[in-house]
Amino acid sequence: MNSIDNECVWHPYARIPNEVQTHTVKSANGVYLTLDSDKKIIDGMSSWWSVIHGYSNPTINSAIKRQVDKMSHIMFGGLTHHGAVELCEKLIAITPEGLNKVFLADSGSVSVEVALKMALQYWHNKGQKRKNHFITPLGGYHGDTFGAMSVCDPDNGMHHIFSGILPKHFFVKKPTIGNTKDALVDLRSTLKNHHNEIAAMILEPIVQGAGGMNIYESEYLVGASELCKQYNILMIVDEIATGFGRTGKLFGCNHGDISPDILCLGKALTGGYMSMAATLTNGDIAEGVGVLMHGPTFMGNALACSAANASIDLLLNSDWEENIRRIEKILLTELTQLKSDKSVRDVRVIGAIGVVELYDNIRMEETQNRLIEMGVWLRPYGKLLYTMPPFITSNKELYKITDAIKTVVREL
Ligand SMILES: *Cc1c(COP(=O)(O)O)cnc(C)c1O
């Protein structure tokens, strides 16, 4: 099986034949992935931020089983169903104030495309056709489709390959801890000079994910929100990674108590069971947009809605805030010990996210194999070794993850 996988199957950001060894998972339960060899490893990645309640959660499993016997999917054009309406109602209730119109998209990247289209259509209909660019901080990641790619960090995103075809947008200084004032000055001056050409700002709140695992101060979020209002551009917040409790607040926006014009959700929306995302906006923008030019085949997929409804209920009915504080405390105490290590440049922790940044690139395959030996699954990339474990990870399992991180860093 692995030779077919290696020679014929594309993996994310990989070539064929694959250069980095893949590991076959035969089942998954709780926080554990079971490999073909029967070895069980703790998934410290939550399958890329998404599996917040762990694998094979009985509540989500039974919600999907009930739904599959009713219907798995119906087209959303001209038809609707209870699960989708229930989900949209829930999202409106829990997201920041004012967001009360929902577009159910089929993946995070698509929800970003929809957000960009909303902003462009809004200004087009207002007769401001020059407002057709976006502004975004460096170091961001918003997905792999063309629109989303055009607002990703140009260096991380390997933009040079597509530079002839990608629209050119405005990139501003990346916010980091300690440089908020500076970053806001840069944002202000770019907006001052170009606001007539800009439809919206797009950014990830509090944590920039795949673009570099960068944590920044809530003052930047607040300052950016004020500047967007002042210069009459829309604010799109991409909560695809940060949403549903990951940073210690239900949404990253809550750190600055801001309410964006457009919000993107994904990843943990279905508890990691299925691909689904959502783009929310308010009544004014929705009215300005008019007929939104988007409609995926699998929009509002009923199975995905059943998983999302069950996952959100599970989260809200748990003491998730206290639980994330528990995880944060352990990640902080354990990973901070690495700060004095000569190979470590920085250690950053927020909520259930722990990041160790090294001076040198990490050899992915070798490091991964060593981590698996120690019973842990992580996916280091570049100079970053990081974890965002499922929320159900026990203290003992968290220590196993942090011990494995400490061991590989010290062995480097
Ligand atoms: C993962 C991610 C996306 C893209 O979502 P996909 O489901 O992979 O298309 C967009 N924005 C952010 C912040 C993400 O973390």
Side-chain angles (χ1 to χ4, degrees):
M1 193 202 111
N2 255 2
S3 81
I4 301 275
D5 185 77
N6 194 48
E7 282 157 35
C8 311
V9 182
W10 248 302
H11 284 269
Y13 286 92
R15 71 167 78 232
I16 286 182
N18 210 334
E19 286 169 313
V20 182
Q21 184 190 351
T22 52
H23 303 271
T24 308
V25 177
K26 61 178 177 187
S27 66
N29 199 291
V31 299
Y32 291 95
L33 305 173
T34 306
L35 302 180
D36 253 2
S37 61
D38 283 326
K39 188 171 176 71
K40 286 185 178 358
I41 54 177
I42 300 171
D43 180 8
M45 298 294 289
S46 300
S47 274
W48 275 331
W49 314 81
S50 63
V51 187
I52 53 176
H53 307 295
Y55 297 92
S56 202
N57 177 282
T59 310
I60 306 178
N61 283 7
S62 66
I64 296 173
K65 284 175 188 162
R66 278 197 308 277
Q67 183 60 46
V68 82
D69 284 331
K70 288 189 224 159
M71 63 190 180
S72 302
H73 179 67
I74 51 153
M75 66 185 280
F76 215 52
L79 299 175
T80 190
H81 59 91
H82 292 293
V85 176
E86 183 188 331
L87 175 59
C88 294
E89 253 187 302
K90 279 195 175 91
L91 294 178
I92 291 167
I94 62 176
T95 50
E97 182 114 10
L99 299 167
N100 56 10
K101 315 290 168 198
V102 188
F103 186 100
L104 295 174
D106 34 15
S107 76
S109 301
V110 171
S111 79
V112 170
E113 298 291 330
V114 168
L116 301 177
K117 278 190 187 176
M118 282 179 180
L120 293 174
Q121 284 193 234
Y122 175 80
W123 291 116
H124 183 92
N125 289 342
K126 288 230 176 281
Q128 300 225 36
K129 295 184 185 157
R130 275 186 68 211
K131 279 171 93 71
N132 59 8
H133 291 86
F134 296 97
I135 185 166
T136 188
L138 288 165
Y141 176 76
H142 299 286
D144 292 342
T145 51
F146 273 82
M149 207 168 32
S150 73
V151 287
C152 289
D153 185 281
D155 293 331
N156 287 339
M158 294 187 286
H159 275 191
H160 57 275
I161 305 168
F162 307 110
S163 63
I165 192 172
L166 284 183
K168 300 272 180 291
H169 297 306
F170 295 96
F171 290 92
V172 288
K173 222 171 235 174
K174 156 178 165 167
T176 54
I177 289 174
N179 92 335
T180 296
K181 273 213 180 92
D182 226 31
L184 283 173
V185 166
D186 189 39
L187 177 60
R188 179 190 291 278
S189 76
T190 311
L191 284 177
K192 194 166 172 227
N193 294 326
H194 299 285
H195 64 97
N196 287 329
E197 306 154 66
I198 297 174
M201 175 172 196
I202 179 165
L203 82 171
E204 298 152 274
I206 296 296
V207 182
Q208 293 182 305
M213 300 300 291
N214 171 47
I215 301 169
Y216 65 86
E217 292 161 333
S218 61
E219 287 79 6
Y220 183 81
L221 203 54
V222 176
S225 164
E226 284 164 2
L227 287 170
C228 287
K229 287 197 183 79
Q230 186 184 336
Y231 286 102
N232 203 25
I233 68 164
L234 304 183
M235 186 185 206
I236 303 170
V237 169
D238 177 351
E239 292 257 13
I240 292 167
T242 49
F244 303 103
R246 179 58 67 181
T247 66
K249 304 269 189 195
L250 198 51
F251 295 101
C253 284
N254 303 136
H255 286 274
D257 212 6
I258 62 151
S259 193
D261 300 292
I262 302 172
L263 181 82
C264 298
L265 299 172
K267 291 205 160 97
L269 174 61
T270 63
Y273 269 66
M274 252 169 278
S275 181
M276 173 169 254
T279 313
L280 284 87
T281 190
N282 60 44
D284 286 344
I285 309 285
E287 198 188 319
V289 167
V291 178
L292 179 62
M293 301 308 281
H294 211 97
T297 306
F298 288 101
M299 185 169 184
N301 177 261
L303 284 180
C305 286
S306 71
N309 281 320
S311 174
I312 294 170
D313 287 348
L314 265 179
L315 182 68
L316 298 182
N317 293 331
S318 71
D319 194 354
W320 61 269
E321 261 179 306
E322 179 54 35
N323 188 34
I324 304 296
R325 265 197 293 275
R326 166 187 72 89
I327 298 172
E328 183 176 53
K329 214 167 127 191
I330 292 177
L331 293 179
L332 203 56
T333 345
E334 293 302 304
L335 297 181
T336 307
Q337 297 167 18
L338 285 171
K339 265 196 170 156
S340 54
D341 196 285
K342 61 181 188 320
S343 61
V344 174
R345 183 171 187 178
D346 192 21
V347 175
R348 307 187 276 273
V349 172
I350 187 170
I353 307 170
V355 186
V356 180
E357 183 177 340
L358 304 165
Y359 283 104
D360 297 317
N361 279 328
I362 300 162
R363 281 190 296 272
M364 175 140 67
E365 183 169 271
E366 196 183 310
T367 309
Q368 246 167 5
N369 287 336
R370 182 71 180 106
L371 288 163
I372 290 172
E373 252 174 52
M374 292 183 282
V376 173
W377 174 249
L378 295 175
R379 188 170 167 85
Y381 89 100
K383 300 176 167 69
L384 300 169
L385 187 57
Y386 60 99
T387 181
M388 52 277 197
F391 298 169
I392 60 159
T393 313
S394 70
N395 290 357
K396 200 172 150 213
E397 290 155 347
L398 284 169
Y399 288 122
K400 201 160 169 183
I401 297 173
T402 54
D403 284 349
I405 292 177
K406 287 193 272 186
T407 305
V408 294
V409 168
R410 286 173 181 152
E411 281 174 3
L412 281 173

